[in-house]
Amino acid sequence: MRRYSRERLARNPRLAERDRQATQRMCDHAREMPMTIYNFVEGTRFTAAKRHAQSSPFEHLRPKAGGVAQVIGLLGERLDGILDATLHYRRQQPNFWDFLCGREEQIALVVKRIAQPDWMLEGRYDDAQYKERFYSWLNTLWQEKDAALSSYSWS
């Protein structure tokens, strides 16, 4: 999956279809063999400028529902559940490369297993009501994560 700006997608709507097709191919492979799927709903690149530009009710990164909703819609009952992982970096400006090189300070990892709600298997993301319900579910989860990150204390 690639992240395109809204302007670029408006100029070339086929880019969004390219991502949907890539997700479809990955899910087709997942039906043939066991695998783990990682979906970073908060995105993968973050800068202070992006934080300032995003209008979000969250103190931390804003979630994006489309990719994870598509995977759940395509794989449905083949999924064993959802693992929700939250990373809390001790440093204010963490750097993934520093982490890989062993230079990053402490990182707290909290993982919890979330049961897949039955309604997720009964709809499709292109249905407006399903989409609204999915966003509501994800935003509730994100409010909990946001509060946990904000209240985390390094003892």
Side-chain angles (χ1 to χ4, degrees), residues 1-81:
M1 300 274 310
R2 301 199 194 298
R3 293 281 180 210
Y4 300 106
S5 69
R6 289 177 196 231
E7 296 81 20
R8 189 163 180 200
L9 286 172
R11 286 192 311 266
N12 188 355
R14 286 181 287 172
L15 294 175
E17 183 58 30
R18 192 182 297 171
D19 276 352
R20 283 190 284 277
Q21 289 172 353
T23 302
Q24 176 72 49
R25 284 191 303 274
M26 184 273 307
C27 288
D28 289 344
H29 290 299
R31 285 188 193 93
E32 298 169 10
M33 68 185 88
M35 73 170 47
T36 300
I37 300 167
Y38 297 92
N39 193 314
F40 298 91
V41 296
E42 75 285 358
T44 54
R45 294 185 191 103
F46 182 69
T47 65
K50 282 184 182 180
R51 172 185 242 155
H52 183 71
Q54 81 174 4
S55 63
S56 171
F58 304 106
E59 181 180 341
H60 301 89
L61 296 173
R62 183 185 83 224
K64 297 173 182 153
V68 70
Q70 185 181 11
V71 168
I72 290 171
L74 290 169
L75 292 177
E77 294 180 17
R78 297 230 0 133
L79 296 176
D80 193 33

Coordinates of all heavy atoms in Angstrom, one line a residue, residues 1-81:
M1 N 0.8 -1.2 0.0 CA 0.0 0.0 0.0 C 0.9 1.2 0.0 O 1.9 1.3 0.6 CB -0.9 0.0 1.2 CG -1.8 -1.1 1.4 SD -3.4 -1.0 0.6 CE -4.0 0.6 1.0
R2 N 0.4 2.2 -0.7 CA 1.1 3.5 -0.7 C 0.1 4.6 -0.2 O -1.1 4.4 -0.4 CB 1.6 3.8 -2.1 CG 2.5 2.8 -2.7 CD 3.2 3.4 -3.9 NE 3.9 2.5 -4.8 CZ 4.9 1.7 -4.4 NH1 5.3 1.7 -3.2 NH2 5.5 1.0 -5.3
R3 N 0.7 5.6 0.4 CA -0.2 6.7 0.8 C 0.0 7.8 -0.2 O 1.1 8.3 -0.4 CB 0.3 7.2 2.2 CG 0.0 6.2 3.3 CD -1.4 6.2 3.6 NE -1.7 5.2 4.7 CZ -2.8 4.6 4.9 NH1 -3.8 4.9 4.1 NH2 -3.0 3.8 5.8
Y4 N -1.1 8.2 -0.8 CA -1.1 9.3 -1.7 C -1.8 10.5 -1.1 O -2.8 10.4 -0.4 CB -1.8 8.9 -3.1 CG -1.1 7.8 -3.7 CD1 -1.7 6.5 -3.7 CD2 0.1 7.9 -4.4 CE1 -1.2 5.4 -4.4 CE2 0.7 6.8 -5.0 CZ 0.0 5.6 -5.0 OH 0.6 4.5 -5.6
S5 N -1.4 11.7 -1.5 CA -2.1 12.9 -1.0 C -3.5 13.0 -1.7 O -3.7 12.4 -2.8 CB -1.3 14.2 -1.4 OG -1.4 14.4 -2.8
R6 N -4.4 13.7 -1.1 CA -5.8 13.8 -1.7 C -5.7 14.5 -3.0 O -6.4 14.1 -3.9 CB -6.7 14.6 -0.7 CG -7.0 13.9 0.5 CD -7.8 14.7 1.5 NE -7.8 14.1 2.8 CZ -8.9 13.8 3.5 NH1 -10.1 14.2 3.0 NH2 -8.8 13.2 4.6
E7 N -4.8 15.4 -3.2 CA -4.6 16.1 -4.4 C -4.2 15.1 -5.5 O -4.7 15.2 -6.6 CB -3.6 17.3 -4.3 CG -4.0 18.4 -3.4 CD -3.7 18.0 -1.9 OE1 -2.9 17.2 -1.6 OE2 -4.4 18.7 -1.1
R8 N -3.2 14.3 -5.2 CA -2.7 13.3 -6.2 C -3.8 12.3 -6.6 O -4.0 11.9 -7.7 CB -1.5 12.6 -5.7 CG -0.8 11.8 -6.7 CD 0.6 11.4 -6.4 NE 1.2 10.6 -7.4 CZ 2.2 9.9 -7.3 NH1 2.8 9.8 -6.1 NH2 2.7 9.1 -8.3
L9 N -4.6 11.9 -5.6 CA -5.7 10.9 -5.8 C -6.8 11.6 -6.7 O -7.4 10.9 -7.6 CB -6.3 10.4 -4.5 CG -5.5 9.4 -3.8 CD1 -6.1 9.1 -2.4 CD2 -5.3 8.1 -4.6
A10 N -7.0 12.9 -6.5 CA -8.0 13.6 -7.3 C -7.5 13.7 -8.7 O -8.3 13.6 -9.7 CB -8.2 15.0 -6.7
R11 N -6.2 13.9 -8.9 CA -5.7 13.9 -10.3 C -5.7 12.6 -11.0 O -5.8 12.5 -12.2 CB -4.3 14.5 -10.3 CG -4.2 16.0 -10.0 CD -2.8 16.6 -10.3 NE -1.7 15.8 -9.7 CZ -1.2 16.1 -8.5 NH1 -1.6 17.2 -7.8 NH2 -0.2 15.4 -8.0
N12 N -5.5 11.5 -10.2 CA -5.3 10.2 -10.7 C -6.0 9.2 -9.8 O -5.4 8.5 -9.0 CB -3.9 9.8 -10.9 CG -3.7 8.5 -11.6 OD1 -4.6 7.8 -12.0 ND2 -2.4 8.2 -11.9
P13 N -7.4 9.0 -9.9 CA -8.1 8.1 -9.1 C -7.7 6.6 -9.2 O -8.0 5.9 -8.3 CB -9.6 8.3 -9.5 CG -9.6 9.6 -10.3 CD -8.2 9.8 -10.8
R14 N -7.0 6.3 -10.3 CA -6.6 4.9 -10.4 C -5.6 4.5 -9.4 O -5.4 3.3 -9.1 CB -6.0 4.7 -11.8 CG -7.1 4.6 -12.9 CD -6.6 4.4 -14.2 NE -5.9 5.7 -14.6 CZ -5.1 5.8 -15.7 NH1 -4.9 4.8 -16.5 NH2 -4.6 7.0 -16.0
L15 N -4.9 5.4 -8.8 CA -4.0 5.1 -7.7 C -4.6 4.4 -6.5 O -4.1 3.5 -6.0 CB -3.2 6.4 -7.2 CG -2.3 7.0 -8.3 CD1 -1.8 8.3 -7.7 CD2 -1.2 6.1 -8.7
A16 N -5.8 4.8 -6.2 CA -6.6 4.2 -5.1 C -7.0 2.8 -5.4 O -6.9 1.9 -4.6 CB -7.8 5.0 -4.7
E17 N -7.3 2.6 -6.7 CA -7.7 1.3 -7.2 C -6.5 0.3 -7.1 O -6.6 -0.8 -6.8 CB -8.3 1.3 -8.6 CG -8.8 0.0 -9.1 CD -9.8 -0.7 -8.2 OE1 -10.6 0.0 -7.5 OE2 -9.9 -1.9 -8.2
R18 N -5.3 0.9 -7.4 CA -4.1 0.1 -7.4 C -3.9 -0.5 -6.0 O -3.5 -1.6 -5.8 CB -2.9 1.0 -7.9 CG -1.7 0.2 -8.1 CD -0.5 1.1 -8.5 NE -0.8 1.9 -9.8 CZ -0.1 2.9 -10.2 NH1 1.0 3.3 -9.5 NH2 -0.3 3.5 -11.3
D19 N -4.1 0.4 -5.0 CA -3.9 -0.1 -3.6 C -4.9 -1.1 -3.2 O -4.6 -2.1 -2.6 CB -4.0 1.1 -2.6 CG -2.7 1.9 -2.5 OD1 -1.7 1.4 -3.0 OD2 -2.7 2.9 -1.8
R20 N -6.2 -0.9 -3.7 CA -7.2 -1.9 -3.4 C -6.9 -3.3 -4.0 O -7.1 -4.4 -3.4 CB -8.6 -1.5 -3.9 CG -9.2 -0.4 -2.9 CD -10.7 -0.1 -3.3 NE -10.8 0.7 -4.4 CZ -10.7 2.0 -4.4 NH1 -10.5 2.7 -3.3 NH2 -10.9 2.7 -5.5
Q21 N -6.4 -3.3 -5.3 CA -6.0 -4.5 -5.9 C -4.8 -5.2 -5.2 O -4.8 -6.4 -5.1 CB -5.6 -4.2 -7.4 CG -6.9 -3.8 -8.2 CD -6.5 -3.4 -9.6 OE1 -5.3 -3.2 -9.9 NE2 -7.5 -3.2 -10.4
A22 N -3.8 -4.4 -4.8 CA -2.7 -5.0 -4.0 C -3.2 -5.7 -2.8 O -2.7 -6.8 -2.4 CB -1.7 -3.9 -3.7
T23 N -4.1 -5.0 -2.1 CA -4.7 -5.6 -0.9 C -5.4 -6.9 -1.2 O -5.3 -7.9 -0.5 CB -5.6 -4.6 -0.1 OG1 -4.8 -3.5 0.2 CG2 -6.2 -5.2 1.1
Q24 N -6.2 -6.9 -2.3 CA -6.9 -8.1 -2.8 C -5.9 -9.2 -3.0 O -6.2 -10.4 -2.6 CB -7.7 -7.7 -4.0 CG -8.4 -8.9 -4.6 CD -9.6 -9.4 -3.8 OE1 -10.5 -8.6 -3.4 NE2 -9.7 -10.7 -3.5
R25 N -4.8 -9.0 -3.7 CA -3.9 -10.0 -4.0 C -3.3 -10.6 -2.7 O -3.1 -11.8 -2.6 CB -2.8 -9.5 -4.9 CG -3.2 -9.3 -6.4 CD -2.0 -9.0 -7.3 NE -1.2 -7.8 -6.9 CZ -1.5 -6.6 -7.3 NH1 -2.6 -6.3 -8.1 NH2 -0.8 -5.5 -6.9
M26 N -2.9 -9.7 -1.8 CA -2.4 -10.2 -0.5 C -3.4 -11.0 0.2 O -3.0 -12.1 0.8 CB -2.0 -8.9 0.3 CG -1.3 -9.3 1.6 SD -2.3 -9.6 3.0 CE -3.4 -8.1 3.1
C27 N -4.6 -10.7 0.2 CA -5.6 -11.4 0.9 C -5.9 -12.8 0.2 O -6.1 -13.8 0.8 CB -6.9 -10.6 1.0 SG -6.8 -9.3 2.2
D28 N -5.8 -12.8 -1.1 CA -5.9 -14.1 -1.9 C -4.8 -15.0 -1.4 O -5.0 -16.2 -1.2 CB -5.8 -13.8 -3.4 CG -7.0 -13.1 -3.9 OD1 -8.1 -13.1 -3.2 OD2 -7.0 -12.6 -5.1
H29 N -3.6 -14.5 -1.3 CA -2.4 -15.4 -0.8 C -2.7 -15.8 0.6 O -2.4 -17.0 1.0 CB -1.1 -14.6 -0.8 CG -0.6 -14.4 -2.2 ND1 -0.3 -15.4 -3.1 CD2 -0.4 -13.2 -2.9 CE1 0.1 -14.9 -4.2 NE2 0.0 -13.6 -4.2
A30 N -3.3 -15.0 1.5 CA -3.6 -15.3 2.9 C -4.6 -16.5 3.0 O -4.6 -17.2 3.9 CB -4.1 -14.1 3.6
R31 N -5.4 -16.6 2.0 CA -6.4 -17.7 2.0 C -5.7 -19.1 1.7 O -6.2 -20.1 2.1 CB -7.5 -17.5 0.9 CG -8.5 -16.4 1.3 CD -9.6 -16.4 0.3 NE -10.4 -15.2 0.6 CZ -10.2 -14.0 -0.1 NH1 -9.3 -13.9 -1.0 NH2 -10.9 -13.0 0.2
E32 N -4.5 -19.0 1.0 CA -3.8 -20.2 0.6 C -2.9 -20.7 1.7 O -2.5 -21.9 1.7 CB -3.0 -20.0 -0.6 CG -3.9 -19.6 -1.8 CD -3.2 -19.1 -3.0 OE1 -1.9 -19.2 -3.0 OE2 -3.8 -18.6 -3.9
M33 N -2.4 -19.9 2.6 CA -1.4 -20.3 3.6 C -1.6 -19.4 4.8 O -2.0 -18.3 4.7 CB 0.0 -20.2 3.0 CG 0.4 -18.7 2.8 SD 2.0 -18.6 2.0 CE 1.5 -18.7 0.3
P34 N -1.2 -20.0 6.0 CA -1.2 -19.1 7.2 C -0.3 -18.0 7.1 O 0.8 -18.1 6.6 CB -0.8 -20.1 8.3 CG -0.8 -21.5 7.7 CD -0.7 -21.3 6.2
M35 N -0.7 -16.8 7.6 CA 0.2 -15.7 7.6 C -0.3 -14.7 8.6 O -1.5 -14.7 9.1 CB 0.3 -15.0 6.2 CG -0.9 -14.3 5.7 SD -0.6 -13.3 4.2 CE 0.2 -14.4 3.1
T36 N 0.5 -13.8 9.0 CA 0.2 -12.6 9.8 C 0.2 -11.4 9.0 O 1.0 -11.2 8.2 CB 1.2 -12.5 11.0 OG1 1.3 -13.7 11.7 CG2 0.9 -11.3 11.9
I37 N -0.9 -10.6 9.2 CA -1.0 -9.3 8.5 C -0.8 -8.2 9.4 O -1.5 -8.1 10.4 CB -2.4 -9.3 7.8 CG1 -2.5 -10.4 6.8 CG2 -2.6 -7.9 7.1 CD1 -3.9 -10.6 6.3
Y38 N 0.1 -7.3 9.1 CA 0.3 -6.1 9.9 C -0.4 -4.9 9.2 O -0.1 -4.7 8.0 CB 1.8 -5.8 10.1 CG 2.5 -6.9 10.8 CD1 3.1 -7.9 10.1 CD2 2.6 -6.8 12.2 CE1 3.8 -8.9 10.8 CE2 3.3 -7.8 12.9 CZ 3.9 -8.8 12.2 OH 4.5 -9.8 12.9
N39 N -1.2 -4.2 9.9 CA -1.8 -3.0 9.3 C -1.6 -1.8 10.3 O -2.0 -1.8 11.4 CB -3.3 -3.2 9.1 CG -3.9 -2.2 8.2 OD1 -3.7 -1.0 8.4 ND2 -4.7 -2.7 7.3
F40 N -0.8 -0.8 9.8 CA -0.5 0.3 10.6 C -1.5 1.4 10.3 O -1.4 2.2 9.5 CB 0.9 0.8 10.3 CG 2.0 -0.2 10.6 CD1 2.4 -1.1 9.7 CD2 2.5 -0.3 11.9 CE1 3.4 -2.1 10.0 CE2 3.5 -1.2 12.2 CZ 3.9 -2.1 11.2
V41 N -2.6 1.4 11.1 CA -3.8 2.2 10.8 C -3.4 3.7 11.1 O -4.1 4.6 10.7 CB -5.1 1.8 11.5 CG1 -5.5 0.5 11.1 CG2 -4.9 1.8 13.0
E42 N -2.3 4.0 11.8 CA -2.0 5.4 12.1 C -1.0 5.9 11.0 O -0.6 7.0 11.1 CB -1.3 5.5 13.5 CG 0.1 5.0 13.5 CD 0.2 3.4 13.6 OE1 -0.8 2.7 13.6 OE2 1.4 2.9 13.6
G43 N -0.7 5.1 10.1 CA 0.3 5.5 9.0 C 1.7 5.1 9.5 O 1.9 4.6 10.6
T44 N 2.6 5.4 8.6 CA 4.0 5.0 9.0 C 5.0 6.2 9.0 O 6.1 6.1 9.5 CB 4.5 4.0 7.9 OG1 4.4 4.5 6.6 CG2 3.8 2.7 8.1
R45 N 4.6 7.3 8.5 CA 5.5 8.5 8.5 C 4.8 9.6 9.3 O 3.7 9.9 9.0 CB 5.8 8.9 7.1 CG 6.6 7.9 6.4 CD 7.1 8.4 5.0 NE 7.6 7.3 4.2 CZ 6.9 6.7 3.3 NH1 5.7 7.1 2.9 NH2 7.5 5.7 2.6
F46 N 5.5 10.2 10.2 CA 4.9 11.2 11.0 C 5.9 12.3 11.2 O 7.1 12.1 11.5 CB 4.5 10.6 12.4 CG 3.8 11.7 13.2 CD1 2.5 12.2 12.9 CD2 4.4 12.1 14.4 CE1 1.9 13.1 13.7 CE2 3.8 13.0 15.2 CZ 2.6 13.5 14.9
T47 N 5.5 13.5 11.1 CA 6.3 14.7 11.3 C 5.5 15.7 12.1 O 4.3 15.7 12.2 CB 6.8 15.4 10.0 OG1 5.6 15.9 9.3 CG2 7.5 14.4 9.1
A48 N 6.2 16.7 12.7 CA 5.5 17.7 13.4 C 4.6 18.5 12.5 O 3.5 18.9 12.9 CB 6.5 18.7 14.1
A49 N 5.0 18.7 11.3 CA 4.2 19.4 10.3 C 2.9 18.7 10.0 O 1.8 19.3 10.0 CB 4.9 19.7 9.0
K50 N 3.0 17.4 9.9 CA 1.7 16.6 9.7 C 0.8 16.6 10.9 O -0.4 16.7 10.8 CB 2.1 15.1 9.4 CG 2.6 14.9 8.0 CD 2.8 13.4 7.7 CE 3.4 13.1 6.4 NZ 3.6 11.7 6.1
R51 N 1.4 16.6 12.1 CA 0.6 16.6 13.3 C -0.2 18.0 13.3 O -1.3 18.0 13.7 CB 1.5 16.5 14.5 CG 0.7 16.8 15.8 CD 1.6 16.7 17.0 NE 1.1 15.7 17.9 CZ 1.8 15.0 18.7 NH1 3.0 15.3 18.9 NH2 1.2 14.1 19.5
H52 N 0.5 19.0 13.0 CA -0.1 20.4 13.0 C -1.2 20.5 11.9 O -2.2 21.1 12.2 CB 1.0 21.4 12.8 CG 0.4 22.8 12.9 ND1 0.0 23.4 14.1 CD2 0.2 23.7 11.9 CE1 -0.5 24.6 13.8 NE2 -0.3 24.8 12.5
A53 N -1.0 19.8 10.8 CA -1.9 19.9 9.7 C -3.1 19.1 9.8 O -4.2 19.4 9.3 CB -1.2 19.6 8.4
Q54 N -3.0 18.0 10.6 CA -4.2 17.1 10.7 C -5.2 17.7 11.7 O -4.8 18.1 12.8 CB -3.7 15.7 11.1 CG -3.5 15.5 12.6 CD -3.2 14.0 13.0 OE1 -3.1 13.2 12.1 NE2 -3.0 13.8 14.2
S55 N -6.4 17.8 11.3 CA -7.4 18.2 12.2 C -8.0 16.9 12.8 O -8.6 16.1 12.1 CB -8.5 19.0 11.5 OG -9.2 18.2 10.6
S56 N -7.7 16.7 14.1 CA -8.0 15.4 14.7 C -8.4 15.7 16.1 O -7.8 16.5 16.8 CB -6.7 14.5 14.6 OG -6.9 13.4 15.4
P57 N -9.3 14.9 16.6 CA -9.6 14.9 18.1 C -8.6 14.2 18.9 O -8.7 14.3 20.1 CB -11.0 14.2 18.1 CG -10.9 13.2 17.0 CD -10.2 13.9 15.9
F58 N -7.6 13.6 18.3 CA -6.6 12.8 19.0 C -5.4 13.6 19.3 O -4.9 14.4 18.4 CB -6.3 11.5 18.3 CG -7.5 10.7 18.0 CD1 -8.0 10.6 16.7 CD2 -8.2 10.0 19.0 CE1 -9.2 9.9 16.4 CE2 -9.3 9.3 18.7 CZ -9.8 9.2 17.5
E59 N -4.8 13.4 20.4 CA -3.5 14.1 20.7 C -2.4 13.4 19.9 O -1.4 14.1 19.5 CB -3.2 13.9 22.2 CG -1.9 14.6 22.6 CD -1.6 14.5 24.1 OE1 -2.5 14.2 24.9 OE2 -0.4 14.7 24.5
H60 N -2.5 12.1 19.7 CA -1.5 11.4 19.0 C -2.0 11.2 17.5 O -2.9 11.8 17.1 CB -1.1 10.1 19.7 CG -0.6 10.4 21.1 ND1 -1.4 10.5 22.2 CD2 0.7 10.7 21.5 CE1 -0.7 10.8 23.2 NE2 0.6 10.9 22.9
L61 N -1.4 10.2 16.8 CA -1.7 10.0 15.4 C -3.2 9.6 15.2 O -3.8 8.9 16.0 CB -0.8 8.9 14.8 CG 0.6 9.3 14.8 CD1 1.4 8.1 14.4 CD2 0.9 10.4 13.9
R62 N -3.8 10.1 14.1 CA -5.1 9.8 13.7 C -5.2 8.5 13.0 O -4.4 8.2 12.1 CB -5.6 10.9 12.9 CG -7.1 10.8 12.5 CD -7.5 11.9 11.5 NE -7.1 11.5 10.1 CZ -6.5 12.3 9.3 NH1 -6.2 13.5 9.6 NH2 -6.2 11.8 8.1
P63 N -6.2 7.6 13.3 CA -6.3 6.3 12.5 C -6.9 6.5 11.2 O -7.7 7.4 10.9 CB -7.2 5.5 13.5 CG -8.1 6.5 14.1 CD -7.2 7.7 14.3
K64 N -6.5 5.6 10.3 CA -7.1 5.5 9.0 C -7.7 4.1 8.8 O -7.0 3.1 8.9 CB -6.0 5.7 7.9 CG -5.4 7.1 8.0 CD -4.2 7.3 7.1 CE -3.7 8.7 7.4 NZ -2.3 8.8 7.1
A65 N -9.0 4.1 8.6 CA -9.8 2.8 8.6 C -9.8 2.0 7.4 O -10.0 0.8 7.4 CB -11.2 3.1 9.1
G66 N -9.6 2.6 6.2 CA -9.8 1.9 4.9 C -9.1 0.6 4.8 O -9.7 -0.4 4.4
G67 N -7.8 0.6 5.0 CA -7.0 -0.7 4.7 C -7.4 -1.8 5.6 O -7.6 -2.9 5.2
V68 N -7.5 -1.5 6.9 CA -7.9 -2.6 7.9 C -9.3 -3.1 7.6 O -9.6 -4.3 7.7 CB -7.7 -2.2 9.3 CG1 -8.6 -1.2 9.8 CG2 -7.7 -3.4 10.3
A69 N -10.2 -2.2 7.3 CA -11.6 -2.6 7.0 C -11.6 -3.5 5.7 O -12.4 -4.4 5.7 CB -12.5 -1.3 6.8
Q70 N -10.8 -3.1 4.7 CA -10.8 -3.9 3.5 C -10.2 -5.4 3.8 O -10.8 -6.3 3.3 CB -9.9 -3.3 2.4 CG -10.0 -4.0 1.1 CD -9.1 -3.4 0.0 OE1 -8.3 -2.5 0.3 NE2 -9.3 -3.9 -1.2
V71 N -9.2 -5.5 4.6 CA -8.6 -6.8 4.9 C -9.7 -7.6 5.7 O -9.9 -8.8 5.4 CB -7.3 -6.6 5.8 CG1 -6.9 -8.0 6.4 CG2 -6.2 -6.1 4.9
I72 N -10.3 -7.0 6.7 CA -11.4 -7.7 7.4 C -12.5 -8.2 6.5 O -13.0 -9.3 6.6 CB -11.9 -6.9 8.6 CG1 -10.8 -6.8 9.7 CG2 -13.1 -7.5 9.2 CD1 -11.1 -5.8 10.8
G73 N -12.9 -7.3 5.6 CA -13.9 -7.6 4.6 C -13.5 -8.8 3.7 O -14.4 -9.6 3.4
L74 N -12.3 -8.8 3.3 CA -11.8 -9.8 2.3 C -11.5 -11.1 3.0 O -11.8 -12.2 2.4 CB -10.6 -9.3 1.6 CG -10.8 -8.2 0.6 CD1 -9.5 -7.6 0.1 CD2 -11.6 -8.7 -0.6
L75 N -11.0 -11.1 4.2 CA -10.6 -12.4 4.9 C -11.7 -12.9 5.9 O -11.7 -14.0 6.2 CB -9.3 -12.2 5.5 CG -8.1 -12.1 4.6 CD1 -6.8 -11.9 5.3 CD2 -8.0 -13.3 3.6
G76 N -12.4 -11.9 6.4 CA -13.5 -12.3 7.3 C -13.2 -13.3 8.3 O -12.4 -13.2 9.2
E77 N -13.9 -14.5 8.2 CA -13.8 -15.5 9.2 C -12.5 -16.2 9.2 O -12.2 -17.0 10.1 CB -15.0 -16.5 9.0 CG -16.3 -15.9 9.3 CD -17.5 -16.8 9.1 OE1 -17.2 -18.1 9.0 OE2 -18.6 -16.3 8.9
R78 N -11.7 -16.0 8.2 CA -10.3 -16.6 8.2 C -9.4 -16.0 9.3 O -8.4 -16.5 9.6 CB -9.7 -16.5 6.8 CG -10.5 -17.3 5.8 CD -9.7 -18.2 4.9 NE -8.3 -18.3 5.1 CZ -7.7 -19.5 5.2 NH1 -8.3 -20.6 5.1 NH2 -6.4 -19.6 5.3
L79 N -9.8 -14.8 9.7 CA -9.0 -14.1 10.7 C -9.2 -14.7 12.1 O -10.4 -14.9 12.4 CB -9.3 -12.6 10.7 CG -8.9 -11.8 9.4 CD1 -9.4 -10.4 9.5 CD2 -7.4 -11.9 9.1
D80 N -8.2 -14.8 12.8 CA -8.3 -15.4 14.1 C -8.5 -14.4 15.2 O -8.8 -14.7 16.3 CB -7.0 -16.2 14.4 CG -7.1 -17.1 15.6 OD1 -8.2 -17.6 15.9 OD2 -6.1 -17.2 16.4
G81 N -8.4 -13.1 14.9 CA -8.6 -12.1 15.8 C -7.8 -10.9 15.4 O -7.1 -10.8 14.4

